[in-house]
Amino acid sequence: MSARRLGIACSGVASLVAVLMAALPARAGTCPASTTCPTTVNFTVTAPDGLTISVPNGPVSIGSGAPGGQISGQLGSIAVSDERAALTATWTASVIAATGGFTTGGGTAPETIPNSDVLYWSGAATATTGSGTFVPGQANAAAAQSLDTSRTAFSKTSGSGVNSATWNPTIVVNVPAGAVAGVYTGTVDHSVA
């Protein structure tokens, strides 16, 4: 047999051996009797949806009231879902009213209720899952805060892993004495980080 043919044959055998070696499972080694023989095992825990917040579909009506009076009603369920599966699974949900206040008609000064007259209080959680400490932004009506600046609506200050919290905040409107009659519309924005 020629050297050239022998070289091709040897090359083919070497390739076949390499393929077979790659296909064989790795071995941990050979261990003598009465000893442990370890195999390392890996698996992955995934975090499918991250950190999200859900709010009610609008428009939400919270009632009616006269100029110089007060209107109060619940906004509906707000829910934070934390599926990051983090070692430190803390978060803060914030709330603020959109710029421009709550308006009716043409939105002139008498047709606008400013965000400083619109208050928010979260109350206690209506439901929670997971470990850790869940803290309302405003525990009761006495702690209500105006929505003219960003406020903490709810937070989770300790714990790990997947968790969630739901609350049903109350909106309180101090209607100015000079407000005109009409259906007032504005936006309350929630976010979580």
Side-chain angles (χ1 to χ4, degrees):
M1 180 177 288
S2 74
R4 185 173 179 189
R5 280 191 181 180
L6 186 56
I8 292 171
C10 287
S11 170
V13 170
S15 297
L16 180 60
V17 170
V19 168
L20 288 175
M21 292 287 287
L24 294 175
R27 300 247 180 231
T30 303
C31 306
S34 302
T35 63
T36 59
C37 211
T39 300
T40 301
V41 177
N42 290 323
F43 58 87
T44 302
V45 176
T46 61
D49 293 326
L51 182 62
T52 60
I53 188 165
S54 302
V55 300
N57 289 327
V60 173
S61 175
I62 60 165
S64 60
Q70 199 173 70
I71 300 168
S72 179
Q74 289 188 295
L75 187 61
S77 291
I78 311 294
V80 169
S81 177
D82 183 358
E83 295 190 10
R84 297 171 296 174
L87 178 61
T88 303
T90 59
W91 48 260
T92 298
S94 300
V95 62
I96 190 172
T99 301
F102 293 74
T103 63
T104 192
T108 63
E111 297 171 305
T112 300
I113 296 177
N115 293 335
S116 56
D117 286 328
V118 180
L119 311 178
Y120 179 103
W121 61 279
S122 61
T126 56
T128 62
T129 64
S131 67
T133 304
F134 297 89
V135 182
Q138 307 78 25
N140 50 45
Q145 294 178 298
S146 65
L147 290 178
D148 55 341
T149 190
S150 182
R151 308 291 187 178
T152 296
F154 224 91
S155 62
K156 183 170 181 287
T157 59
S158 68
S160 61
V162 173
N163 63 87
S164 67
T166 304
W167 65 98
N168 189 355
T170 300
I171 303 294
V172 180
V173 181
N174 293 317
V175 184
V180 300
V183 176
Y184 285 75
T185 302
T187 304
V188 174
D189 295 324
H190 285 85
S191 60
V192 67

